[in-house]
Amino acid sequence: MNTRNSHIDALRGAAILCVLVLHFALAYGLKNSPLEALPGWLLRAAYQGNYGVTMFFVISGYLITSTSLRRWGDLARIDLAAFYVYRIARLLPSLLLALSIIVMLGTLDVPFFANSDGGKDLPASYFVIAIASVLTFWHNVLMQSAGYFNYCLNVYWSLSVEEMFYLLLPLSCRLLRKRHWILLLCGAAIVAGPTYRSLHADNEIYFMYGYFACFDAIAIGCLTALLAQSVRLRPRQGQLLRLLSGLALAALYVRGIGGHEVFGFTWIAVASAAFILGGTTAQAARPPRFAPLQWLGRHSYELYLFHIIVLAGMRNVVDKAGLAYAERLPWLLVFLAATALAAALVARYLSEPANAAIRRRFRRSATAAPSCVP
């Protein structure tokens, strides 16, 4: 049975598109191209892609919580082994491929793959600690001490935040058990977010990448899943809520991060949560809309992992100064197309079959386990 929500897929697609445009804009710029004809506020919006990451965090909090509720009935009854195996099955195969490509090319000292970003000149042996930090959920912490040191690995800070959430959520729910304690924990994370960001508003590696800088968005997503259990919106109400929250997201996005480091991410999270809540109404009878965004949403993880590898490769072909006036926009389209192709291939031939195989093997072992007990 397909349990995907097309509205959430569209929101996730918009979020990953924001991230892709941000990284292209940072690499190649948008000026000195036909894009200069766009209003200045719209060009500046291209550099606010970290808000897209916040949208991802809200979606993750919502989906993991709602899926756990649907699968086990209560957060206190989460099966720890199943939860972690399912997360490993979804995340690890394609991540290992991405890391292998980066390490292989970085060891060969290929620009934008080596540990030489931000003026650093770290040896290839530094990949040991760098890859370990990605796989053990503290790459964002490593960056707080090492700075931006590897162009490709830099973007995986958000994966460490998500993985830490995946590690802590089931443990916290099993420990706290009562829903009011879980709600209190989410409330504490929501308060801690802007508080932490206010203390580090002068350093983006802290106010954007730190655990406490991001957990408020995830907590808001978790609360949205709990709220959706008791709130039943009519289709027209859900449509209105999606419209209003979508407009709010657009306005907050255009307003930008600068000057709003403390509460800007919180408001983006709240607006994203409202959009998700509006998307929980019945939708099966409606034909799919915004199909390209929904496709991006369904492949957002592969797009996230491999877009930076594609972009690093393109920067080795031609740098920012090498693009003529008329070439920048076509080069952006090439980047988007190549990234989509890479994501589709990885999903088709690695992520999806590996995910299914690992889950299937786990279910077989879990079913067979009781028969082994004397």
Side-chain angles (χ1 to χ4, degrees):
M1 181 177 65
N2 183 16
T3 58
R4 298 199 73 97
N5 183 302
S6 62
H7 300 299
I8 295 177
D9 277 340
L11 182 63
R12 186 155 46 181
I16 191 62
L17 187 59
C18 291
V19 173
L20 299 184
V21 171
L22 165 67
H23 290 154
F24 181 89
L26 291 174
Y28 286 105
L30 299 177
K31 294 184 178 180
N32 189 31
S33 77
L35 295 171
E36 283 184 322
L38 296 174
W41 59 267
L42 190 55
L43 289 176
R44 288 190 297 272
Y47 294 89
Q48 314 307 316
N50 281 96
Y51 275 161
V53 180
T54 301
M55 294 158 64
F56 271 120
F57 289 150
V58 178
I59 294 168
S60 291
Y62 172 82
L63 289 177
I64 291 299
T65 304
S66 60
T67 300
S68 297
L69 288 168
R70 185 171 62 251
R71 183 172 286 147
W72 292 294
D74 190 283
L75 294 179
R77 293 201 294 268
I78 292 178
D79 184 322
L80 296 181
F83 183 94
Y84 292 133
V85 168
Y86 292 162
R87 288 293 84 208
I88 290 171
R90 176 67 184 100
L91 299 176
L92 196 58
S94 49
L95 174 61
L96 290 177
L97 175 60
L99 294 177
S100 298
I101 294 171
I102 293 169
V103 171
M104 180 183 66
L105 296 176
T107 302
L108 296 174
D109 208 28
V110 177
F112 304 109
F113 292 95
N115 297 317
S116 56
D117 195 36
K120 303 291 193 303
D121 187 20
L122 300 174
S125 59
Y126 198 74
F127 273 120
V128 175
I129 188 171
I131 299 305
S133 71
V134 174
L135 294 176
T136 53
F137 327 147
W138 57 281
H139 188 65
N140 54 337
V141 177
L142 178 62
M143 289 178 64
Q144 289 176 349
S145 61
Y148 295 106
F149 67 90
N150 183 291
Y151 178 74
C152 288
L153 293 180
N154 286 343
V155 304
Y156 294 163
W157 67 267
S158 58
L159 187 58
S160 290
V161 173
E162 294 242 16
E163 289 170 333
M164 187 59 71
F165 161 63
Y166 298 147
L167 175 66
L168 296 178
L169 174 71
L171 294 174
S172 300
C173 293
R174 290 290 296 269
L175 178 64
L176 297 174
R177 302 195 67 80
K178 300 296 184 181
R179 178 163 293 196
H180 63 270
W181 290 116
I182 297 173
L183 293 174
L184 186 61
L185 179 62
C186 288
I190 293 171
V191 171
T195 302
Y196 179 88
R197 291 192 293 269
S198 70
L199 298 174
H200 301 283
D202 60 341
N203 189 327
E204 68 176 33
I205 293 183
Y206 282 81
F207 79 75
M208 286 199 297
Y209 305 164
Y211 294 124
F212 290 112
C214 304
F215 279 169
D216 59 333
I218 296 176
I220 288 171
C222 295
L223 290 179
T224 304
L226 295 172
L227 181 63
Q229 283 191 307
S230 55
V231 174
R232 292 291 182 265
L233 298 176
R234 296 188 178 92
R236 188 62 61 87
Q237 293 173 324
Q239 187 178 34
L240 179 60
L241 184 55
R242 292 195 303 273
L243 174 62
L244 294 177
S245 57
L247 291 173
L249 279 171
L252 291 165
Y253 199 91
V254 168
R255 187 181 68 165
I257 297 172
H260 307 284
E261 294 85 356
V262 177
F263 287 105
F265 296 94
T266 302
W267 288 119
I268 284 285
V270 170
S272 299
F275 186 93
I276 291 171
L277 189 62
T280 59
T281 56
Q283 58 163 3
R286 290 178 175 264
R289 292 189 294 178
F290 307 111
L293 279 182
Q294 291 165 11
W295 188 93
L296 292 175
R298 291 193 300 273
H299 296 83
S300 59
Y301 181 58
E302 290 79 13
L303 290 165
Y304 160 74
L305 288 179
F306 289 93
H307 82 278
I308 201 66
I309 296 175
V310 171
L311 190 55
M314 292 175 64
R315 295 185 73 179
N316 278 287
V317 174
V318 59
D319 61 11
K320 180 178 180 179
L323 282 182
Y325 177 87
E327 294 173 343
R328 192 162 270 103
L329 181 56
W331 201 235
L332 169 60
L333 298 179
V334 168
F335 164 61
L336 295 176
T339 299
L341 177 60
L345 291 174
V346 171
R348 174 68 178 84
Y349 294 105
L350 177 61
S351 296
E352 293 169 2
N355 185 14
I358 293 171
R359 291 178 182 232
R360 186 166 54 248
R361 182 166 184 174
F362 172 77
R363 285 193 290 267
R364 287 174 180 170
S365 63
T367 302
S371 63
C372 299
V373 178

